Amino acid sequence: GQNIDQPTEMTATEGAIVQINCTYQTSGFNGLFWYQQHAGEAPTFLSYNVLDGLEEKGRFSSFLSRSKGYSYLLLKELQMKDSASYLCAVRARSGGYQKVTFGTGTKLQVIP
Amino acid sequence: GAVVSQHPSWVICKSGTSVKIECRSLDFQATTMFWYRQFPKQSLMLMATSNEGSKATYEQGVEKDKFLINHASLTLSTLTVTSAHPEDSSFYICSAALVVGYGNTIYFGEGSWLTVV
């Protein structure tokens, strides 16, 4: 099975930087996704990491260390609209097929 | 970008009836689609992985006979909730995998709110 852990809630100030961590334990690892989800809406894709290292996309960056089973999502220059849940998801090969499993999500609140 | 369409967005049905939810990849072929269920203030729970032309792979604890999944083509997967009960009321969401070179992205449909009365 898979075990994916994220902090439940985080609070950060507008304009600041916040790092959301995700740790996982799985066999057959084949990539890690980060999604943003506003209440009542479908998740939207933020990033995908399959190799170790940092990938940057504008205000959002995602880091992966496969040996440590660790990833983080870095949000810079926080805006109020960044208040949302951030979901870490792991793609893994299991029994001949691939599946994507989500962590519990981190609810981020951005305050003025 | 890639688009996944899910229909219906909202559905209310009577207890004991069946409801079908469709998931379509509009501009790409998806060999693999995933079905999730999400309760309020909780994360997405994977129900099953749907592979085109073969039987879906269900997660432990998900009733295969209650949640029927069909993936008849590379652009369409359907989830049928059979003999629905109030406890089946939830947000159901599908996603489709797009693989381009070394890239790999999974796109979500808009989700379907099911209320069983």
Side-chain angles (χ1 to χ4, degrees):
Chain A
Q2 297 181 3
N3 188 19
I4 304 171
D5 290 315
Q6 302 178 238
T8 304
E9 296 181 344
M10 298 183 71
T11 301
T13 306
E14 189 177 16
I17 299 173
V18 70
Q19 177 174 312
I20 303 174
N21 296 322
C22 173
T23 58
Y24 63 90
Q25 294 177 318
T26 187
S27 57
F29 176 82
N30 197 26
L32 187 143
F33 299 87
W34 283 98
Y35 285 85
Q36 180 192 63
Q37 186 179 29
H38 288 96
E41 298 180 10
T44 55
F45 172 80
L46 292 178
S47 67
Y48 173 70
N49 294 68
V50 64
L51 301 176
D52 291 348
L54 182 69
E55 295 206 4
E56 299 183 69
K57 284 184 181 180
R59 296 191 298 116
F60 294 74
S61 302
S62 58
F63 171 83
L64 175 66
S65 169
R66 290 172 296 173
S67 62
K68 296 182 179 179
Y70 169 68
S71 174
Y72 67 72
L73 179 69
L74 193 70
L75 291 75
K76 303 176 184 176
E77 302 171 14
L78 280 173
Q79 301 175 9
M80 298 301 291
K81 67 178 182 179
D82 296 330
S83 293
S85 287
Y86 291 85
L87 308 174
C88 167
V90 172
R91 182 173 179 132
R93 292 180 294 274
S94 175
Y97 70 100
Q98 301 214 16
K99 67 177 183 180
V100 178
T101 307
F102 282 80
T104 53
T106 300
K107 185 176 181 180
L108 173 66
Q109 183 180 15
V110 180
I111 57 176
Chain B
V3 177
V4 175
S5 175
Q6 194 171 335
H7 176 81
S9 299
W10 298 84
V11 58
I12 300 174
C13 70
K14 292 184 177 181
S15 185
T17 61
S18 296
V19 174
K20 179 185 285 187
I21 301 171
E22 293 187 348
C23 180
R24 294 179 184 272
S25 55
L26 296 184
D27 53 0
F28 67 100
Q29 294 182 332
T31 55
T32 304
M33 290 185 174
F34 305 92
W35 286 96
Y36 294 87
R37 182 175 182 178
Q38 187 175 33
F39 291 104
K41 299 183 180 181
Q42 295 187 23
S43 188
L44 286 78
M45 297 298 297
L46 179 64
M47 298 176 67
T49 301
S50 172
N51 295 294
E52 187 268 336
S54 64
K55 292 183 178 180
T57 303
Y58 289 82
E59 294 301 297
Q60 191 173 8
V62 178
E63 299 177 58
K64 300 179 182 181
D65 295 331
K66 182 169 184 62
F67 299 99
L68 301 178
I69 292 173
N70 182 279
H71 195 157
S73 75
L74 287 171
T75 59
L76 174 64
S77 177
T78 60
L79 168 68
T80 301
V81 182
T82 64
S83 187
H85 292 286
E87 57 264 31
D88 298 325
S89 299
S90 186
F91 184 58
Y92 293 88
I93 190 166
C94 72
S95 65
L98 171 63
V99 180
V100 179
Y102 212 171
N104 188 329
T105 303
I106 292 180
Y107 295 93
F108 281 89
E110 306 94 330
S112 300
W113 290 96
L114 171 63
T115 301
V116 184
V117 297

